[in-house]
Amino acid sequence: MDASYIFIDHVALFFSTQCSFTLNVSGFPVADMTQVTLPQRRVMLSDLITEEITGCFQQEQIKELKLYKIANELLQTERAYVTRLHLLDQVFCAKLTEEAGKGTFPVEVVKGIFSNVGSIYTFHSQFLLPDLETRMSQWASTPRIGDILAQLAPFLRMYAEYVKNFDSAMDLLKQWTERSVQFNAIIQDIQSQEACGNLTLQHHMLEPVQRVPRYEMLLKDYLKKLPEDDPDCSQAEKSLNIISMAATHSNMAIRKMENLKKLMEIYEMLGGEEDIVNPSNELIKEGQILKLAARNTSSMERYLFLFNNMLLYCVPKFSLVGQRFTVRTRVGVEGMKVLETSNEDYPHTFQVSGKERTLELQASSEQDKEDWIKAFKETIEIFQQKNETFKSASKEVADEVSVKELGKRAPRWIRDNEVTMCMKCKEPFNPLTRRRHHCRACGYVVCYKCSDYKASLRYDGNKLNKVCKDCYFILTGRADAEEPVSGKKRGILEIEAAQVSGNSFLCGFLQYSTDRTKPCQRVWCVIPQHDALVLYLYGAPQDVKAQCTIPLLGYQVEDVQRSVDHPPTSFRLCQSKSVHCFTADTEEVKLRWLKVIRKAVIGEIPECQTPVDDNLANENCVPLWDDTTRRCSLAERKLLESA
């Protein structure tokens, strides 16, 4: 195509000189651009510039419209969600609780089904929804939602309790619908109402589980449409991180409950096999397989349970109920190897060798063999990575203490009563099979397995002394002492008590129990500065791992009055079916704990208190939130506490 360039006031325009159509310039039909006069060209250029500016303006309007639509969708779905929560809490739960008060069925059943849905309803109806409605009414002057979500997103952690209880709630609902006529009649009556929309109670109870991922999806879409230089961008990203973490916690809670449920099933199938129902155990793969005999060519039917840390080699037991398998061998994943083998008489074979035993196995097909080999290899690789991380972390701690002085100077021994578990392998001590031993090099309290080494120590005249494995490798210079791996995160419980106690809002001993019928246990309690809404419980002040943690947000604090069962220095934390009972040594200590916990349960950062143990006094208490962080008003606190 021929072309010509037309310059109008030093602006280059490109037009075709062989137009097959008629151009209309300021009302004049033109077939050849050479016929366009200079004034007409100027008018034409002005029209083009106007169109370009109009197009850019329209694009900006489209972006703003998309952001408004996302924010409005969040508001509309939030209104519908609050309506569903009202139905769950104020209709289903209220009527069932009223009937349970007559003695028709236990009140605990209703609490077990609806968990902390009351707290969730209060938060959304009294806080999040009103803030969204106010913001949307002011959208013309304040077109953003990231700041609101950033302020309120931390409260979404309360969903973890609801999600964790969901499976149990469904079982209770099914059980009592079949058992109690009155229970079933109330549910059927409410489900027949127009407000239910012809949906079952189970369907409505699923909505809180799905709501947090919904927030995450909408916020991701909002960030995609938001300009990078928009002032709301940083707040939206901050809220997305918090919401994503809450969604992850919900998903993790679901997976954890599913895993524990599966472990319980395996426990029953194995006739009560020891150490199966443990949160640290994770089932990787299970299935039937043939085991080739070592002395002849016969094959025997077997069943395998592959966990993240062990393989259970089982023999089927012919029983219709109860125990279905007997564990013949337990093979640890540590040191395990898997090899593909070839056997003309028996195809699809492979070999699993461990410290305890070597097994030659035959799969049902080539694909089945590949699946088993892949599962074994991935499990071994993940186990090795975690094991190396733990070894490196332990050696890194030892390096900090011993680079210059290990073996040259007598260490300070950790007292026996300051720990309840081995400071190396974290296995709990007991007076019979796992007693306490001290490493003469670093002073740590370890078990017999972790202290079965000897090395010469300069401070003791180069005599051989019992040392832990980490110190042995460092002192002897063995190649097994590997370089530490940095950047690896430890589990939430793998935080040393001494570390968090030195930087805490409050720490000290309390008597603790979760059941009135069980005796109280003396535990070391810490509310650390880095995690001010969580209470850590340790067996002793020097333990390297917490026994458990209690996320305080959403709990109710009860100041227990003097009674036969409880002394006057007792208090309780209650949420749904969870009840944690504490007893302080004195009334003053109890008041200090109540002051801190009552702020933590409503999402406020507590003020620093004088530690119960003066030896662990904390002089540098720094609030985790800055002054711009929104704090609950008095009315909000009352609403949350009443929920």
Side-chain angles (χ1 to χ4, degrees):
M1 178 181 294
D2 295 335
S4 63
Y5 291 90
I6 303 175
F7 292 87
I8 303 176
D9 293 342
H10 306 290
V11 179
L13 294 177
F14 175 82
F15 295 96
S16 172
T17 58
Q18 295 183 355
C19 300
S20 59
F21 56 88
T22 299
L23 296 177
N24 191 354
V25 182
S26 299
F28 298 96
V30 180
D32 189 350
M33 290 302 299
T34 59
Q35 300 177 10
V36 180
T37 64
L38 184 59
Q40 291 175 333
R41 294 175 187 176
R42 287 174 176 164
V43 172
M44 187 175 184
L45 177 60
S46 177
D47 292 343
L48 290 174
I49 293 174
T50 302
E51 291 177 2
E52 184 69 21
I53 294 174
T54 303
C56 293
F57 182 71
Q58 289 176 344
Q59 289 180 358
E60 291 296 326
Q61 283 186 320
I62 291 173
K63 289 182 179 179
E64 291 178 2
L65 182 60
K66 288 182 178 179
L67 291 174
Y68 175 81
K69 285 184 176 179
I70 295 171
N72 189 57
E73 181 180 356
L74 176 61
L75 174 62
Q76 298 304 324
T77 56
E78 186 68 15
R79 284 174 176 166
Y81 179 55
V82 169
T83 302
R84 294 287 182 259
L85 290 175
H86 179 272
L87 184 66
L88 285 174
D89 184 55
Q90 301 297 313
V91 181
F92 277 107
C93 183
K95 290 191 176 182
L96 287 172
T97 302
E98 181 182 355
E99 183 66 25
K102 302 176 183 178
T104 309
F105 43 83
V107 178
E108 286 73 16
V109 172
V110 183
K111 293 181 179 179
I113 292 174
F114 293 96
S115 185
N116 62 336
V117 72
S119 299
I120 296 175
Y121 171 62
T122 301
F123 165 68
H124 286 273
S125 62
Q126 301 295 332
F127 298 102
L128 184 54
L129 180 58
D131 284 0
L132 287 175
E133 288 177 333
T134 302
R135 179 54 53 85
M136 293 307 296
S137 66
Q138 302 170 352
W139 186 262
S141 59
T142 317
R144 56 178 178 269
I145 57 173
D147 55 338
I148 293 177
L149 295 177
Q151 293 167 358
L152 297 178
F155 288 93
L156 296 179
R157 295 175 184 172
M158 67 176 70
Y159 275 84
E161 176 71 19
Y162 184 89
V163 174
K164 182 179 179 180
N165 185 68
F166 184 76
D167 286 342
S168 175
M170 292 296 101
D171 292 340
L172 273 176
L173 182 59
K174 180 181 179 182
Q175 176 184 350
W176 283 91
T177 301
E178 297 172 352
R179 178 183 297 184
S180 173
V181 176
Q182 294 90 338
F183 186 94
N184 184 49
I186 293 173
I187 292 177
Q188 293 298 328
D189 178 61
I190 299 174
Q191 287 179 166
S192 63
Q193 297 176 13
E194 185 179 353
C196 262
N198 295 323
L199 298 175
T200 63
L201 172 57
Q202 290 89 333
H203 180 90
H204 292 302
M205 290 183 65
L206 187 61
E207 289 205 20
V209 178
Q210 301 170 333
R211 186 56 183 170
V212 176
R214 177 70 172 174
Y215 289 135
E216 184 181 21
M217 182 187 68
L218 286 173
L219 200 51
K220 284 181 178 179
D221 196 18
Y222 178 77
L223 271 170
K224 288 181 181 179
K225 305 296 188 299
L226 199 65
E228 295 182 359
D229 57 347
D230 193 282
D232 195 34
C233 194
S234 60
Q235 292 291 334
E237 289 177 348
K238 178 182 177 182
S239 58
L240 178 60
N241 291 334
I242 299 174
I243 291 173
S244 297
M245 188 178 298
T248 301
H249 289 167
S250 296
N251 294 332
M252 287 176 61
I254 294 173
R255 288 195 296 269
K256 184 177 180 180
M257 290 304 299
E258 291 175 348
N259 182 56
L260 287 176
K261 184 177 180 180
K262 184 63 180 178
L263 292 177
M264 183 58 71
E265 294 176 358
I266 296 174
Y267 176 82
E268 294 175 355
M269 286 192 291
L270 300 179
E273 180 69 14
E274 186 181 1
D275 297 336
I276 293 298
V277 184
N278 189 319
S280 63
N281 293 338
E282 180 183 353
L283 180 66
I284 306 298
K285 185 175 174 62
E286 64 171 303
Q288 292 181 347
I289 205 159
L290 294 177
K291 194 270 180 185
L292 301 184
R295 295 185 178 181
N296 51 50
T297 57
S298 63
S299 61
M300 298 158 285
E301 184 178 342
R302 296 291 183 261
Y303 201 92
L304 300 182
F305 293 97
L306 176 61
F307 294 89
N308 58 322
N309 55 359
M310 61 182 170
L311 170 69
L312 296 185
Y313 170 69
C314 305
V315 177
K317 187 176 182 179
F318 299 100
S319 175
L320 298 178
V321 293
Q323 183 178 357
R324 293 173 50 195
F325 303 100
T326 301
V327 178
R328 179 66 59 85
T329 304
R330 182 184 294 211
V331 183
V333 174
E334 183 177 8
M336 181 183 288
K337 295 181 180 179
V338 59
L339 299 172
E340 185 175 357
T341 59
S342 59
N343 191 317
E344 295 181 358
D345 297 327
Y346 296 92
H348 322 311
T349 59
F350 62 98
Q351 178 180 287
V352 177
S353 61
K355 295 179 180 179
E356 296 81 3
R357 188 169 178 180
T358 296
L359 304 169
E360 188 172 2
L361 306 170
Q362 181 185 12
S364 59
S365 65
E366 189 67 21
Q367 183 63 46
D368 188 30
K369 182 186 79 170
E370 292 177 359
D371 292 343
W372 273 111
I373 292 177
K374 181 181 178 182
F376 274 107
K377 287 184 175 180
E378 290 179 351
T379 303
I380 294 170
E381 182 180 359
I382 293 173
F383 181 87
Q384 289 175 344
Q385 290 175 354
K386 291 182 177 180
N387 196 35
E388 294 306 320
T389 300
F390 174 76
K391 288 181 180 179
S392 300
S394 300
K395 179 179 178 295
E396 190 171 17
V397 173
D399 284 344
E400 294 176 1
V401 178
S402 63
V403 167
K404 295 182 179 179
E405 297 184 344
L406 187 66
K408 299 178 183 179
R409 185 174 180 177
R412 184 188 76 84
W413 282 20
I414 303 296
R415 296 183 180 88
D416 287 352
N417 60 359
E418 292 180 335
V419 295
T420 60
M421 64 186 71
C422 175
M423 298 180 73
K424 294 299 180 181
C425 68
K426 297 181 175 61
E427 290 293 329
F429 291 122
N430 62 69
L432 297 178
T433 61
R434 195 176 296 275
R435 301 176 63 184
R436 292 171 170 83
H437 301 268
H438 276 91
C439 171
R440 267 62 172 178
C442 64
Y444 276 19
V445 184
V446 294
C447 64
Y448 73 97
K449 288 185 178 180
C450 295
S451 64
D452 194 19
Y453 299 86
K454 288 188 177 182
S456 59
L457 303 178
R458 187 179 299 182
Y459 78 83
D460 195 25
N462 289 323
K463 294 180 181 179
L464 290 177
N465 281 267
K466 183 187 292 289
V467 296
C468 66
K469 184 178 181 180
D470 296 333
C471 292
Y472 173 78
F473 286 138
I474 295 172
L475 291 168
T476 59
R478 295 294 182 90
D480 291 345
E482 300 173 3
E483 292 297 325
V485 179
S486 60
K488 299 294 185 179
K489 293 184 178 179
R490 293 183 293 179
I492 187 172
L493 297 178
E494 295 179 358
I495 301 176
E496 296 182 12
Q499 176 185 344
V500 294
S501 297
N503 295 279
S504 63
F505 290 102
L506 189 60
C507 59
F509 280 108
L510 292 173
Q511 297 291 335
Y512 169 70
S513 175
T514 56
D515 190 343
R516 297 180 184 178
T517 61
K518 296 181 180 179
C520 291
Q521 176 188 3
R522 186 172 173 83
V523 296
W524 181 258
C525 302
V526 184
I527 299 181
Q529 289 188 30
H530 78 276
D531 203 359
L533 305 182
V534 178
L535 176 62
Y536 286 74
L537 305 184
Y538 294 88
Q542 292 292 338
D543 274 359
V544 294
K545 183 179 179 182
Q547 293 181 353
C548 67
T549 60
I550 303 174
L552 298 173
L553 192 64
Y555 269 87
Q556 292 182 351
V557 185
E558 296 180 5
D559 188 353
V560 181
Q561 302 300 320
R562 182 189 294 269
S563 65
V564 177
D565 297 330
H566 300 283
T569 57
S570 299
F571 62 95
R572 284 199 300 251
L573 298 177
C574 305
Q575 186 184 73
S576 182
K577 295 186 295 182
S578 300
V579 179
H580 304 276
C581 304
F582 297 89
T583 302
D585 292 336
T586 64
E587 184 70 21
E588 180 186 358
V589 173
K590 168 188 169 182
L591 294 177
R592 275 193 246 160
W593 280 105
L594 289 177
K595 182 177 180 181
V596 174
I597 292 175
R598 279 171 175 160
K599 287 195 172 185
V601 297
I602 60 173
E604 279 197 1
I605 299 301
E607 299 175 358
C608 289
Q609 303 290 310
T610 304
V612 176
D613 191 336
D614 293 334
N615 295 326
L616 295 170
N618 178 27
E619 299 177 356
N620 300 312
C621 292
V622 181
L624 297 181
W625 294 355
D626 55 31
D627 293 337
T628 60
T629 303
R630 177 180 184 271
R631 297 178 182 270
C632 294
S633 66
L634 181 60
E636 291 171 338
R637 297 176 199 169
K638 290 181 178 179
L639 284 169
L640 279 178
E641 289 176 350
S642 65

